[in-house]
Amino acid sequence: MRRVLCGLGPALMMAAVLAVAALALAKVEPPLRGEDEIRFLGVRALSAPAGALFTRPLLLQNRDATLLDFPYRVEGGRPARVRVRVVGPDGRLLHDAEHNLPPSQRLDAPRTWFEVSFWGPLARFEPVPLTGGEGPGPASVSIQVAPGSPPVDLYFDPLDLLGRPTDYAAGQSPETVQDRRLAVRSFYGRPQPMIAQAPLIWSRLAALAPPWLAGPGPALLTALLLGLGAASAWALVREE
């Protein structure tokens, strides 16, 4: 009986891993994301009261820009409201709408344990769909907190002399740094399940992997490891 339980343990663990992988592969996302847009380890929040307006230039890095998003945090029990406006490289309006931002979760909220993100329960990313499939080229993003709305924490990176996001120096904050940039991410391509993006994902892994792990190497290695685990669990069960 003990041997059976020892065999079932790896099998159940593998089933859990496969279930998580299946959920991840079913998630719908655009296939490409802009590079070096947010310095995650250095970004800090700035409290924006009702009426506050922030505008930043945004370089669309690829063709067919379909989505932007930005991190935010709302304290208290009331949702906040912001108006988001995006103008494309040719001056066309790609997005102009009011967004309702639900309050951020408390650290002791039950769902906190299910959060797997850089900010955890302290912040959310608000999606901003784009119309027109613009890019590449310079665009503009404006976010204004609506009148009567609770304050909204928006995130900012300081910029170095070359205009790249960098770290805050000692004693600096978004309030004291003039050369700062609103944290916004850009996405490209039509949203589709992650499983449909498998060829693109493997090609990126192959580009980062050692020369001997090129082509279908990552997929074959993953399949080999899963197969060995399943074979080991089955062998232990059969011995009993």
Side-chain angles (χ1 to χ4, degrees):
M1 184 65 181
R2 182 180 301 175
R3 188 171 295 178
V4 172
L5 293 177
C6 291
L8 288 177
L12 292 175
M13 185 178 299
M14 185 175 304
V17 171
L18 291 175
V20 172
L23 291 174
L25 290 174
K27 187 178 181 181
V28 176
E29 285 189 350
L32 293 177
R33 193 178 79 184
E35 299 180 0
D36 299 326
E37 294 181 310
I38 300 178
R39 188 172 179 84
F40 290 97
L41 296 179
V43 68
R44 295 185 186 178
L46 172 67
S47 181
L53 171 65
F54 300 96
T55 301
R56 62 154 287 185
L58 175 68
L59 178 63
L60 298 180
Q61 302 176 10
N62 292 279
R63 299 164 64 180
D64 197 20
T66 53
L67 180 73
L68 303 179
D69 68 13
F70 62 91
Y72 74 90
R73 183 174 63 202
V74 176
E75 300 290 346
R78 285 200 304 143
R81 292 178 293 110
V82 298
R83 189 164 198 87
V84 182
R85 180 182 174 91
V86 183
V87 179
D90 61 356
R92 288 194 302 127
L93 192 62
L94 303 183
H95 184 91
D96 187 9
E98 189 169 274
H99 292 242
N100 291 317
L101 307 180
S104 302
Q105 296 182 52
R106 305 184 315 274
L107 283 173
D108 58 350
R111 189 177 167 185
T112 298
W113 300 100
F114 297 96
E115 291 295 325
V116 184
S117 66
F118 180 80
W119 285 280
L122 298 180
R124 289 287 183 274
F125 280 95
E126 177 67 11
V128 180
L130 303 180
T131 59
E134 290 286 329
S140 174
V141 182
S142 298
I143 300 178
Q144 183 173 26
V145 184
S149 169
V152 180
D153 285 355
L154 299 174
Y155 288 81
F156 291 82
D157 280 311
L159 301 178
D160 61 17
L161 296 178
L162 298 178
R164 299 172 302 191
T166 185
D167 294 325
Y168 287 92
Q172 287 185 333
S173 67
E175 292 87 348
T176 60
V177 173
Q178 296 298 321
D179 198 8
R180 66 192 182 194
R181 189 170 72 183
L182 182 68
V184 176
R185 303 189 301 181
S186 59
F187 299 83
Y188 306 87
R190 296 300 164 187
Q192 55 186 347
M194 291 290 290
I195 187 64
Q197 304 176 30
L200 177 62
I201 295 172
W202 293 129
S203 66
R204 291 176 178 174
L205 288 176
L208 298 173
W212 52 267
L213 199 58
L220 294 176
L221 184 59
T222 302
L224 176 62
L225 293 175
L226 291 175
L228 289 175
S232 300
W234 178 248
L236 288 172
V237 172
R238 289 197 64 182
E239 284 183 9
E240 181 64 25

